[in-house]
Amino acid sequence: NNIKVIPTTLDTNYYKKNTSKIKYKKITIVWIGTPSTSIYLNIVKKTLKKITEKYEVNINLIGIGENKFENLDYKNIEWSENTEIQELSSSHIGIMPLENDHWSLGKCGFKILQYMASGVPVIASPVGVNRLIISDEYNGFLANNEKEWFIKLSKLIEDENLRNKFSERGLISVKNSFEVNNFKKLFLNDFLNLKKNNN
């Protein structure tokens, strides 16, 4: 009866300061994560291959380590705190595929927030908190299967106005609901109240 929920947050001002004003010349689809979470890329590997066969696009995978994805043309980019925002903001579309399992239901949607804070339109699997962050077709896309991933990636690749619309709305979503400064006092007050109640 006394549960407080504070979501994952970002400092949007920090992202704004480090955002690149220049996009890659070729449409670039980006994923960011760790070697252990890169397994989720297998969900969209076939779709990404079809996309590269239909469109002149680049695929940048940040933080996959030494993992390899056969039969897929991509660039393996080493993760760095100093360059991650620049890499994300230079791209055109961010992706977050997930399996619908118990582990994924506990994930916080941090990739989505990073993309949005970097001004990058996003497509994600409708799993767990992803469905709370993204309003499908308003500030991003949710994709349930290979067919939807292909259709929605294609829409964003072909439609610059749609990319811009999702970019603007995504950034507003982060500022309104996941900005660290909006939760700082609440977070500290909750701990102070706990201390008072225990004295």
Side-chain angles (χ1 to χ4, degrees), residues 1 14 16 21 28 31 38 40 51 78 82 91 132 136 167-168:
N1 65 353
Y14 176 76
K16 184 178 180 180
K21 299 293 188 282
T28 300
W31 176 93
S38 67
Y40 296 119
I51 286 290
E78 185 177 355
N82 296 326
S91 303
L132 300 178
D136 191 35
S167 174
E168 292 170 5

Side-chain angles (χ1 to χ4, degrees), residues 1 7-9 35 72 87-88 100 106 109 124 131 158 167 183 189 191:
N1 65 353
T8 297
T9 57
L72 181 65
E87 284 290 346
L88 292 178
N100 192 0
R131 294 176 298 171
E158 295 175 6
S167 174
F183 289 93
N189 286 338
F191 274 98

